[in-house]
PDB file of all heavy atoms in Angstrom:
ATOM      1  N   ALA A  13      58.232  -1.297  22.529  1.00 87.00           N
ATOM      2  CA  ALA A  13      57.136  -1.176  23.461  1.00 87.00           C
ATOM      3  C   ALA A  13      55.805  -1.019  22.687  1.00 87.00           C
ATOM      4  O   ALA A  13      54.790  -1.644  23.056  1.00 87.00           O
ATOM      5  CB  ALA A  13      57.338   0.018  24.398  1.00 87.00           C
ATOM      6  N   LEU A  14      55.812  -0.239  21.647  1.00 85.00           N
ATOM      7  CA  LEU A  14      54.618  -0.060  20.806  1.00 85.00           C
ATOM      8  C   LEU A  14      54.226  -1.364  20.157  1.00 85.00           C
ATOM      9  O   LEU A  14      53.019  -1.749  20.130  1.00 85.00           O
ATOM     10  CB  LEU A  14      54.853   1.014  19.769  1.00 85.00           C
ATOM     11  CG  LEU A  14      53.703   1.399  18.858  1.00 85.00           C
ATOM     12  CD1 LEU A  14      52.564   1.952  19.712  1.00 85.00           C
ATOM     13  CD2 LEU A  14      54.132   2.412  17.838  1.00 85.00           C
ATOM     14  N   ASN A  17      52.677  -3.653  22.781  1.00 90.00           N
ATOM     15  CA  ASN A  17      51.318  -3.213  23.060  1.00 90.00           C
ATOM     16  C   ASN A  17      50.336  -3.647  21.968  1.00 90.00           C
ATOM     17  O   ASN A  17      49.247  -4.142  22.231  1.00 90.00           O
ATOM     18  CB  ASN A  17      51.240  -1.710  23.262  1.00 90.00           C
ATOM     19  CG  ASN A  17      51.833  -1.275  24.574  1.00 90.00           C
ATOM     20  OD1 ASN A  17      51.899  -2.066  25.529  1.00 90.00           O
ATOM     21  ND2 ASN A  17      52.232  -0.005  24.646  1.00 90.00           N
ATOM     22  N   GLU A  18      50.744  -3.474  20.717  1.00 91.00           N
ATOM     23  CA  GLU A  18      49.919  -3.863  19.585  1.00 91.00           C
ATOM     24  C   GLU A  18      49.674  -5.369  19.549  1.00 91.00           C
ATOM     25  O   GLU A  18      48.580  -5.833  19.305  1.00 91.00           O
ATOM     26  CB  GLU A  18      50.564  -3.400  18.265  1.00 91.00           C
ATOM     27  CG  GLU A  18      50.524  -1.915  18.073  1.00 91.00           C
ATOM     28  CD  GLU A  18      49.122  -1.359  17.955  1.00 91.00           C
ATOM     29  OE1 GLU A  18      48.210  -2.014  17.408  1.00 91.00           O
ATOM     30  OE2 GLU A  18      48.928  -0.230  18.451  1.00 91.00           O
ATOM     31  N   ARG A  24      44.304  -9.967  22.701  1.00 94.00           N
ATOM     32  CA  ARG A  24      43.018  -9.769  23.394  1.00 94.00           C
ATOM     33  C   ARG A  24      41.832  -9.838  22.408  1.00 94.00           C
ATOM     34  O   ARG A  24      40.801 -10.426  22.682  1.00 94.00           O
ATOM     35  CB  ARG A  24      43.010  -8.438  24.127  1.00 94.00           C
ATOM     36  CG  ARG A  24      43.697  -8.573  25.495  1.00 94.00           C
ATOM     37  CD  ARG A  24      43.546  -7.296  26.311  1.00 94.00           C
ATOM     38  NE  ARG A  24      44.911  -6.762  26.462  1.00 94.00           N
ATOM     39  CZ  ARG A  24      45.295  -5.532  26.196  1.00 94.00           C
ATOM     40  NH1 ARG A  24      44.428  -4.635  25.801  1.00 94.00           N
ATOM     41  NH2 ARG A  24      46.543  -5.151  26.339  1.00 94.00           N
ATOM     42  N   GLU A  30      37.434 -15.612  19.777  1.00 94.00           N
ATOM     43  CA  GLU A  30      37.321 -17.033  20.065  1.00 94.00           C
ATOM     44  C   GLU A  30      36.136 -17.277  20.982  1.00 94.00           C
ATOM     45  O   GLU A  30      35.354 -18.228  20.806  1.00 94.00           O
ATOM     46  CB  GLU A  30      38.595 -17.571  20.705  1.00 94.00           C
ATOM     47  CG  GLU A  30      39.716 -17.709  19.698  1.00 94.00           C
ATOM     48  CD  GLU A  30      41.025 -18.151  20.367  1.00 94.00           C
ATOM     49  OE1 GLU A  30      41.152 -18.072  21.650  1.00 94.00           O
ATOM     50  OE2 GLU A  30      41.969 -18.499  19.652  1.00 94.00           O
ATOM     51  N   LYS A  42      15.957 -22.293  17.677  1.00 77.00           N
ATOM     52  CA  LYS A  42      14.796 -23.117  17.504  1.00 77.00           C
ATOM     53  C   LYS A  42      13.766 -22.281  16.717  1.00 77.00           C
ATOM     54  O   LYS A  42      13.418 -21.193  17.114  1.00 77.00           O
ATOM     55  CB  LYS A  42      14.219 -23.564  18.828  1.00 77.00           C
ATOM     56  CG  LYS A  42      13.068 -24.470  18.698  1.00 77.00           C
ATOM     57  CD  LYS A  42      12.530 -24.924  20.066  1.00 77.00           C
ATOM     58  CE  LYS A  42      11.307 -25.808  19.840  1.00 77.00           C
ATOM     59  NZ  LYS A  42      10.730 -26.226  21.090  1.00 77.00           N
ATOM     60  N   TYR A  48       3.062 -19.928  11.440  1.00 89.00           N
ATOM     61  CA  TYR A  48       3.055 -19.887   9.985  1.00 89.00           C
ATOM     62  C   TYR A  48       2.211 -21.006   9.423  1.00 89.00           C
ATOM     63  O   TYR A  48       1.518 -20.854   8.403  1.00 89.00           O
ATOM     64  CB  TYR A  48       4.452 -19.982   9.441  1.00 89.00           C
ATOM     65  CG  TYR A  48       5.308 -18.794   9.781  1.00 89.00           C
ATOM     66  CD1 TYR A  48       6.388 -18.909  10.649  1.00 89.00           C
ATOM     67  CD2 TYR A  48       4.988 -17.529   9.309  1.00 89.00           C
ATOM     68  CE1 TYR A  48       7.162 -17.770  10.977  1.00 89.00           C
ATOM     69  CE2 TYR A  48       5.717 -16.390   9.635  1.00 89.00           C
ATOM     70  CZ  TYR A  48       6.826 -16.558  10.467  1.00 89.00           C
ATOM     71  OH  TYR A  48       7.569 -15.460  10.819  1.00 89.00           O
ATOM     72  N   LYS A  49       2.192 -22.174  10.079  1.00 91.00           N
ATOM     73  CA  LYS A  49       1.377 -23.278   9.651  1.00 91.00           C
ATOM     74  C   LYS A  49      -0.128 -22.887   9.695  1.00 91.00           C
ATOM     75  O   LYS A  49      -0.860 -23.210   8.767  1.00 91.00           O
ATOM     76  CB  LYS A  49       1.614 -24.523  10.482  1.00 91.00           C
ATOM     77  CG  LYS A  49       2.911 -25.236  10.164  1.00 91.00           C
ATOM     78  CD  LYS A  49       3.082 -26.499  10.999  1.00 91.00           C
ATOM     79  CE  LYS A  49       4.347 -27.203  10.662  1.00 91.00           C
ATOM     80  NZ  LYS A  49       4.563 -28.401  11.476  1.00 91.00           N
ATOM     81  N   HIS A  55      -4.921 -19.705   4.607  1.00 96.00           N
ATOM     82  CA  HIS A  55      -4.795 -19.299   3.188  1.00 96.00           C
ATOM     83  C   HIS A  55      -5.237 -20.434   2.282  1.00 96.00           C
ATOM     84  O   HIS A  55      -5.889 -20.186   1.245  1.00 96.00           O
ATOM     85  CB  HIS A  55      -3.340 -18.904   2.910  1.00 96.00           C
ATOM     86  CG  HIS A  55      -3.093 -18.449   1.528  1.00 96.00           C
ATOM     87  ND1 HIS A  55      -3.641 -17.277   1.033  1.00 96.00           N
ATOM     88  CD2 HIS A  55      -2.395 -19.000   0.528  1.00 96.00           C
ATOM     89  CE1 HIS A  55      -3.239 -17.160  -0.246  1.00 96.00           C
ATOM     90  NE2 HIS A  55      -2.485 -18.197  -0.573  1.00 96.00           N
ATOM     91  N   SER A  60      -9.160 -22.582  -1.532  1.00 96.00           N
ATOM     92  CA  SER A  60     -10.081 -23.637  -1.873  1.00 96.00           C
ATOM     93  C   SER A  60     -11.497 -23.092  -2.081  1.00 96.00           C
ATOM     94  O   SER A  60     -12.173 -23.479  -3.054  1.00 96.00           O
ATOM     95  CB  SER A  60     -10.095 -24.722  -0.778  1.00 96.00           C
ATOM     96  OG  SER A  60     -11.014 -25.729  -1.080  1.00 96.00           O
ATOM     97  N   ASP A  64     -13.584 -23.101  -5.598  1.00 97.00           N
ATOM     98  CA  ASP A  64     -14.963 -23.646  -5.712  1.00 97.00           C
ATOM     99  C   ASP A  64     -15.917 -22.581  -6.303  1.00 97.00           C
ATOM    100  O   ASP A  64     -16.753 -22.913  -7.147  1.00 97.00           O
ATOM    101  CB  ASP A  64     -15.488 -24.115  -4.359  1.00 97.00           C
ATOM    102  CG  ASP A  64     -14.722 -25.343  -3.801  1.00 97.00           C
ATOM    103  OD1 ASP A  64     -14.064 -26.012  -4.635  1.00 97.00           O
ATOM    104  OD2 ASP A  64     -14.777 -25.552  -2.594  1.00 97.00           O
ATOM    105  N   SER A  71     -19.309 -23.076 -14.367  1.00 95.00           N
ATOM    106  CA  SER A  71     -20.376 -24.020 -14.697  1.00 95.00           C
ATOM    107  C   SER A  71     -21.639 -23.245 -15.107  1.00 95.00           C
ATOM    108  O   SER A  71     -22.294 -23.611 -16.132  1.00 95.00           O
ATOM    109  CB  SER A  71     -20.666 -24.911 -13.509  1.00 95.00           C
ATOM    110  OG  SER A  71     -21.785 -25.746 -13.756  1.00 95.00           O
ATOM    111  N   ASN A  78     -24.520 -22.536 -23.402  1.00 84.00           N
ATOM    112  CA  ASN A  78     -25.181 -23.673 -24.099  1.00 84.00           C
ATOM    113  C   ASN A  78     -26.672 -23.413 -24.337  1.00 84.00           C
ATOM    114  O   ASN A  78     -27.206 -23.862 -25.350  1.00 84.00           O
ATOM    115  CB  ASN A  78     -24.985 -24.943 -23.306  1.00 84.00           C
ATOM    116  CG  ASN A  78     -23.548 -25.415 -23.320  1.00 84.00           C
ATOM    117  OD1 ASN A  78     -22.796 -25.092 -24.219  1.00 84.00           O
ATOM    118  ND2 ASN A  78     -23.167 -26.165 -22.303  1.00 84.00           N
ATOM    119  N   GLU A  79     -27.297 -22.703 -23.460  1.00 82.00           N
ATOM    120  CA  GLU A  79     -28.735 -22.386 -23.616  1.00 82.00           C
ATOM    121  C   GLU A  79     -28.999 -21.170 -24.530  1.00 82.00           C
ATOM    122  O   GLU A  79     -30.093 -20.951 -24.948  1.00 82.00           O
ATOM    123  CB  GLU A  79     -29.364 -22.096 -22.231  1.00 82.00           C
ATOM    124  CG  GLU A  79     -29.434 -23.293 -21.339  1.00 82.00           C
ATOM    125  CD  GLU A  79     -29.918 -22.914 -19.944  1.00 82.00           C
ATOM    126  OE1 GLU A  79     -30.307 -21.747 -19.714  1.00 82.00           O
ATOM    127  OE2 GLU A  79     -29.919 -23.821 -19.086  1.00 82.00           O
ATOM    128  N   LYS A  81     -29.405 -18.644 -27.557  1.00 74.00           N
ATOM    129  CA  LYS A  81     -29.843 -18.756 -28.952  1.00 74.00           C
ATOM    130  C   LYS A  81     -29.580 -17.447 -29.606  1.00 74.00           C
ATOM    131  O   LYS A  81     -29.568 -16.397 -28.986  1.00 74.00           O
ATOM    132  CB  LYS A  81     -31.335 -19.073 -28.972  1.00 74.00           C
ATOM    133  CG  LYS A  81     -31.731 -20.374 -28.318  1.00 74.00           C
ATOM    134  CD  LYS A  81     -33.204 -20.592 -28.330  1.00 74.00           C
ATOM    135  CE  LYS A  81     -33.571 -21.847 -27.543  1.00 74.00           C
ATOM    136  NZ  LYS A  81     -35.006 -22.016 -27.439  1.00 74.00           N
ATOM    137  N   TRP A  86     -39.923 -16.439 -30.134  1.00 88.00           N
ATOM    138  CA  TRP A  86     -41.051 -15.631 -30.576  1.00 88.00           C
ATOM    139  C   TRP A  86     -40.734 -14.822 -31.819  1.00 88.00           C
ATOM    140  O   TRP A  86     -41.571 -14.620 -32.717  1.00 88.00           O
ATOM    141  CB  TRP A  86     -41.562 -14.728 -29.448  1.00 88.00           C
ATOM    142  CG  TRP A  86     -40.550 -13.672 -29.048  1.00 88.00           C
ATOM    143  CD1 TRP A  86     -39.650 -13.788 -28.033  1.00 88.00           C
ATOM    144  CD2 TRP A  86     -40.404 -12.390 -29.605  1.00 88.00           C
ATOM    145  NE1 TRP A  86     -38.883 -12.657 -27.955  1.00 88.00           N
ATOM    146  CE2 TRP A  86     -39.340 -11.753 -28.883  1.00 88.00           C
ATOM    147  CE3 TRP A  86     -41.024 -11.678 -30.630  1.00 88.00           C
ATOM    148  CZ2 TRP A  86     -38.900 -10.474 -29.204  1.00 88.00           C
ATOM    149  CZ3 TRP A  86     -40.592 -10.391 -30.925  1.00 88.00           C
ATOM    150  CH2 TRP A  86     -39.553  -9.786 -30.206  1.00 88.00           C
ATOM    151  N   VAL A  97     -47.636 -14.830 -44.632  1.00 94.00           N
ATOM    152  CA  VAL A  97     -48.667 -13.853 -44.982  1.00 94.00           C
ATOM    153  C   VAL A  97     -48.272 -13.132 -46.258  1.00 94.00           C
ATOM    154  O   VAL A  97     -49.105 -12.885 -47.157  1.00 94.00           O
ATOM    155  CB  VAL A  97     -48.919 -12.867 -43.815  1.00 94.00           C
ATOM    156  CG1 VAL A  97     -49.784 -11.711 -44.243  1.00 94.00           C
ATOM    157  CG2 VAL A  97     -49.542 -13.585 -42.655  1.00 94.00           C
ATOM    158  N   THR A  98     -46.994 -12.755 -46.399  1.00 94.00           N
ATOM    159  CA  THR A  98     -46.525 -12.072 -47.561  1.00 94.00           C
ATOM    160  C   THR A  98     -46.643 -12.971 -48.811  1.00 94.00           C
ATOM    161  O   THR A  98     -47.109 -12.534 -49.875  1.00 94.00           O
ATOM    162  CB  THR A  98     -45.061 -11.627 -47.405  1.00 94.00           C
ATOM    163  OG1 THR A  98     -44.947 -10.836 -46.224  1.00 94.00           O
ATOM    164  CG2 THR A  98     -44.558 -10.862 -48.597  1.00 94.00           C
ATOM    165  N   VAL A 102     -49.020 -12.147 -51.965  1.00 91.00           N
ATOM    166  CA  VAL A 102     -48.474 -12.031 -53.342  1.00 91.00           C
ATOM    167  C   VAL A 102     -49.157 -13.024 -54.265  1.00 91.00           C
ATOM    168  O   VAL A 102     -49.545 -12.697 -55.406  1.00 91.00           O
ATOM    169  CB  VAL A 102     -46.954 -12.202 -53.314  1.00 91.00           C
ATOM    170  CG1 VAL A 102     -46.390 -12.332 -54.716  1.00 91.00           C
ATOM    171  CG2 VAL A 102     -46.320 -11.024 -52.588  1.00 91.00           C
TER     172      VAL A 102
END
Side-chain angles (χ1 to χ4, degrees):
L14 184 62
N17 285 338
E18 290 296 324
R24 278 187 245 129
E30 286 175 348
K42 183 178 179 183
Y48 295 113
K49 284 182 180 179
H55 181 67
S60 177
D64 292 341
S71 175
N78 291 335
E79 292 174 5
K81 298 177 184 175
W86 64 269
V97 169
T98 304
V102 170

